[in-house]
């Protein structure tokens, strides 16, 4: 993950003659497409949620995306861009007021600045920007001679840094406290009991392959039945992720896996050994501390 806070570096114009400008997509998850006929367009996108995905089909022109919090305050704006059959250049856009000169009869104007952030192809990495107001991104594709439809997926996640409502023990590479375990059990996007089959690592993320022995809950199909022919037809399997710096390794025995689907990937939050979880759960049930049903 990269935390991007540097100032604007480049002044570019984004109003090109003959290019269509369309205001579309005000949902959490959107599918957008450049117009037919091969004419380049600037698609203006303003998702109304603090997390979601924008899918850009026939990606040929450009997308101007505004990300904003529901309330004022400092926030961390994170995106992950997946780019198929095309390179995607992502920049941060800022608009600066340029004062005029009334003696020379020059009116006030605005200047659009683009700060190049990164160019991506394939799965892409997580990039974050800290800001106290809306963040405006400008995405433009660079076509090559690839065969296939150009497709770009932009996963976004906005988190207020002042309210501290979300906890990220895995980002801190530390075990969850008992209170965090109970909260994770009741509020995570996925909760399962199972074993670790294998762990693979890339530059930033560890990929943990899990076999589920008991599925508690999941809002997306993180864990699914394997392909036909699997000798254990009732067992679910899936892959969850964690920062590679945490040094997660294969461990024997059963674990409680809890986490959140973030930027299109199921990210692990708390993963205690099952024996530890049973002890915490027994304490919570005896003291009526569990805020959800257990079963």
């Amino acid at each position: 993950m990269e935390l991007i806070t540097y100032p604007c570096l480049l002044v570019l114009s984004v109003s090109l003659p003959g290019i269509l400008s369309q205001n579309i997509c005000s949902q959490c998850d959107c599918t957008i497409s450049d117009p037919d006929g091969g004419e380049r367009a600037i698609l203006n996108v303003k998702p109304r949620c603090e997390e979601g995905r924008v899918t850009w089909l026939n990606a040929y022109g450009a997308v101007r995306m505004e990300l904003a919090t529901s309330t004022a305050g400092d926030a961390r704006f994170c995106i992950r861009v997946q780019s198929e059959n095309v390179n995607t250049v992502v920049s941060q856009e800022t608009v600066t007021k340029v004062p005029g000169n009334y003696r020379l009869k020059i009116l006030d104007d605005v200047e659009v600045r683009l700060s190049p952030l990164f160019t991506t192809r394939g799965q892409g990495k997580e990039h974050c920007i800290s800001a106290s107001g809306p963040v405006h991104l400008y995405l433009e594709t660079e076509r090559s001679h690839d065969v296939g439809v150009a497709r770009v997926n932009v996963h976004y996640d906005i988190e207020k840094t002042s309210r501290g409502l979300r906890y990220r023990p895995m980002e801190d590479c530390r075990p969850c406290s008992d209170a965090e375990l109970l909260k994770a059990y009741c509020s995570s996007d996925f909760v399962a009991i199972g074993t670790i089959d294998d762990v693979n690592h890339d530059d930033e993320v560890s990929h943990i392959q899990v076999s589920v022995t008991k599925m508690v809950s999941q809002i997306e199909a993180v864990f699914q039945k394997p392909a036909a022919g699997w000798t254990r037809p009732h067992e679910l399997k899936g892959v969850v992720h964690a920062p590679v710096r945490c040094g997660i390794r294969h461990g024997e025995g059963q674990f409680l896996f809890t986490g959140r689907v973030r930027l299109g990937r199921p990210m692990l939050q708390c993963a205690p050994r099952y024996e530890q979880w049973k002890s915490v759960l027994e304490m919570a049930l005896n003291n009526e501390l569990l805020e959800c049903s257990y079963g």
Side-chain angles (χ1 to χ4, degrees), residues 2-295:
E2 297 183 19
L3 183 62
I4 303 167
T5 57
Y6 49 78
C8 296
L9 301 176
L10 183 65
V11 180
L12 295 176
S13 171
V14 295
S15 298
L16 302 179
I19 291 183
L20 302 175
S21 181
Q22 301 180 359
N23 295 296
I24 56 176
C25 183
S26 59
Q27 305 299 313
C28 298
D29 298 324
C30 305
T31 299
I32 62 178
S33 179
D34 282 309
D36 296 331
E39 187 170 10
R40 300 189 68 188
I42 298 177
L43 307 177
N44 293 292
V45 176
K46 185 179 180 180
R48 65 179 178 85
C49 303
E50 294 187 350
E51 61 179 302
R53 181 182 68 183
V54 175
T55 300
W56 180 17
L57 302 177
N58 300 316
Y60 178 58
V63 170
R64 299 176 71 245
M65 180 182 296
E66 178 182 337
L67 300 177
T69 57
S70 56
T71 57
D74 295 335
R76 189 175 72 159
F77 300 79
C78 296
I79 62 170
R80 187 169 69 90
V81 179
Q82 298 170 282
S83 191
E84 300 177 16
N85 300 316
V86 70
N87 293 332
T88 303
V89 182
V90 182
S91 302
Q92 184 178 357
E93 176 185 310
T94 57
V95 178
T96 304
K97 184 177 179 180
V98 179
N101 188 317
Y102 293 101
R103 290 185 178 181
L104 299 178
K105 297 182 179 180
I106 298 176
L107 300 178
D108 292 346
D109 201 355
V110 294
E111 182 178 73
V112 177
R113 292 177 176 266
L114 294 181
S115 301
L117 300 180
F118 59 91
T119 299
T120 187
R121 186 185 186 89
Q123 290 298 311
K125 299 179 180 180
E126 178 179 341
H127 294 262
C128 295
I129 301 169
S130 294
S132 57
V135 167
H136 298 84
L137 300 174
Y138 187 80
L139 293 81
E140 189 170 16
T141 55
E142 295 178 341
R143 299 302 298 268
S144 62
H145 299 292
D146 290 331
V147 177
V149 176
R151 176 190 179 106
V152 177
N153 289 321
V154 183
H155 300 271
Y156 65 91
D157 182 87
I158 307 169
E159 181 176 359
K160 293 294 291 297
T161 55
S162 57
R163 66 189 178 193
L165 291 181
R166 290 181 182 166
Y167 58 98
R168 298 190 299 273
M170 192 58 69
E171 285 200 11
D172 299 333
C173 297
R174 62 173 177 81
C176 292
S177 66
D178 290 353
E180 288 172 337
L181 276 177
L182 296 173
K183 180 178 180 180
Y185 182 84
C186 292
S187 63
S188 291
D189 293 345
F190 60 88
V191 180
I193 298 168
T195 58
I196 297 176
D197 293 337
D198 197 7
V199 181
N200 300 303
H201 311 279
D202 59 29
D203 291 343
E204 293 188 346
V205 179
S206 296
H207 313 279
I208 305 135
Q209 300 177 30
V210 174
S211 291
V212 174
T213 55
K214 181 179 180 181
M215 189 72 244
V216 179
S217 64
Q218 59 179 341
I219 63 172
E220 296 186 20
V222 174
F223 303 104
Q224 305 180 52
K225 290 183 179 180
W230 181 248
T231 57
R232 300 175 182 175
H234 301 294
E235 188 176 61
L236 303 180
K237 286 184 172 290
V239 178
V240 296
H241 310 276
V244 71
R245 65 179 180 275
C246 294
I248 293 178
R249 297 291 183 265
H250 183 278
E252 301 294 334
Q254 290 200 102
F255 296 82
L256 176 74
F257 298 97
T258 70
R260 174 179 171 233
V261 178
R262 180 177 180 274
L263 298 177
R265 296 186 293 196
M267 301 300 296
L268 200 61
Q269 286 184 320
C270 298
R273 290 193 174 274
Y274 185 54
E275 291 77 12
Q276 178 190 351
W277 163 243
K278 287 196 299 183
S279 175
V280 172
L281 177 63
E282 182 180 3
M283 177 273 297
L285 293 175
N286 290 337
N287 294 278
E288 299 182 349
L289 297 177
L290 193 65
E291 298 181 354
C292 61
S293 60
Y294 171 71

